[in-house]
Amino acid sequence: MQIYSKKDILEVAKILKSGGIIAFPTETVFGLGVLSNSKENFLKLVKVKNRNPDKPFTLMISKIEQVKDLVEIDVKTAKIIKKFMPGPLTLVLKKKNNSEIPSYFDLNSGYIGIRIPDDKFILSLIDLVDCPLLVPSANKSNEKPAKNVDEIIKIFENEIDCVVNGECGSGVPSTVAKIDKENVIILREGIIKKEDLEDVK
């Protein structure tokens, strides 16, 4: 496992483009990332996470335009995105009926989780590789997410290709919320609370 600094963004991008798995800090916890352009990459994450392959991964994007043709964004959702993204929020949105997406994006659930992190390095990296990332938290399934490089090395050793050195923010995973018209369903609570989302008008 290589250890890079955020100055090594070109090297990290090369690893992603070659099908590698990276770990990186965000404003919440460390994440694992691969390019979202192949099912092979999806299966690599499943294996590294020791995770059942029936649970989709979040799509990490740098701007909402990257998924506007994939998911339905109503007025309420657009206002939530404007207020809380980038930030520690993952929105689970209904896919558009006519969108042709890979099966591993939603695993036939009809919903896709999206997140725009509040981290300039990751946003720049996504723009550099010109592809959304599949990103779960950096941990084995049912274990606590890693919060520093030492924990990444201990958990994954040589199972991933590199880790980007840096500090996490809150240490609390992002809030995961499913928006169904005016209804807000919290799937995982983080710093952003249900009432914060419901109060958006």
Side-chain angles (χ1 to χ4, degrees):
M1 181 194 306
Q2 296 290 322
I3 300 176
Y4 289 114
S5 76
K6 291 184 178 181
K7 294 180 180 179
D8 301 314
I9 190 169
L10 293 177
E11 293 301 318
V12 178
K14 285 180 183 178
I15 289 172
L16 283 172
K17 288 181 176 181
S18 67
I21 303 175
I22 69 169
F24 53 89
T26 73
E27 81 278 28
T28 57
V29 295
F30 265 77
L32 296 177
V34 296
L35 293 188
S36 62
N37 58 3
S38 78
K39 187 173 183 178
E40 182 182 0
N41 286 345
F42 167 81
L43 293 175
K44 286 178 184 177
L45 275 186
V46 169
K47 183 178 180 181
V48 165
K49 290 271 295 181
N50 287 342
R51 179 165 163 168
N52 289 331
D54 60 355
K55 187 177 179 183
F57 294 112
T58 295
L59 265 186
M60 189 168 278
I61 58 178
S62 61
K63 53 186 73 71
I64 199 63
E65 287 75 17
Q66 291 170 331
V67 293
K68 64 182 177 60
D69 295 328
L70 302 181
V71 295
E72 294 182 0
I73 300 175
D74 59 20
V75 174
K76 170 85 170 180
T77 303
K79 289 179 178 179
I80 288 173
I81 290 170
K82 185 176 181 179
K83 182 169 183 177
F84 291 105
M85 290 183 166
L89 175 66
T90 299
L91 287 180
V92 179
L93 304 177
K94 189 174 183 179
K95 77 169 186 176
K96 288 186 175 181
N97 290 331
N98 60 350
S99 64
E100 295 182 5
I101 63 171
S103 60
Y104 58 86
F105 270 32
D106 73 328
L107 296 179
N108 299 315
S109 68
Y111 287 84
I112 301 172
I114 62 166
R115 173 156 141 70
I116 305 176
D118 190 12
D119 184 284
K120 290 181 180 179
F121 171 80
I122 299 304
L123 297 178
S124 297
L125 181 63
I126 293 170
D127 287 341
L128 188 59
V129 298
D130 195 25
C131 181
L133 306 181
L134 294 174
V135 179
S137 55
N139 61 300
K140 298 292 186 178
S141 289
N142 301 317
E143 296 182 5
K144 292 181 179 180
K147 298 177 183 178
N148 55 59
V149 171
D150 289 341
E151 290 181 2
I152 290 290
I153 294 171
K154 183 177 179 180
I155 294 168
F156 297 105
E157 296 184 7
N158 295 316
E159 292 183 276
I160 65 175
D161 297 281
C162 82
V163 58
V164 179
N165 203 354
E167 297 293 327
C168 289
S170 66
V172 179
S174 66
T175 297
V176 180
K178 190 174 184 179
I179 310 297
D180 185 6
K181 297 180 181 178
E182 288 298 311
N183 296 320
V184 176
I185 303 163
I186 299 297
L187 304 179
R188 182 180 70 198
E189 190 170 276
I191 291 175
I192 297 172
K193 306 302 181 185
K194 181 176 182 179
E195 53 267 29
D196 297 328
L197 301 176
E198 290 177 333
D199 286 346
V200 174
K201 303 298 182 185

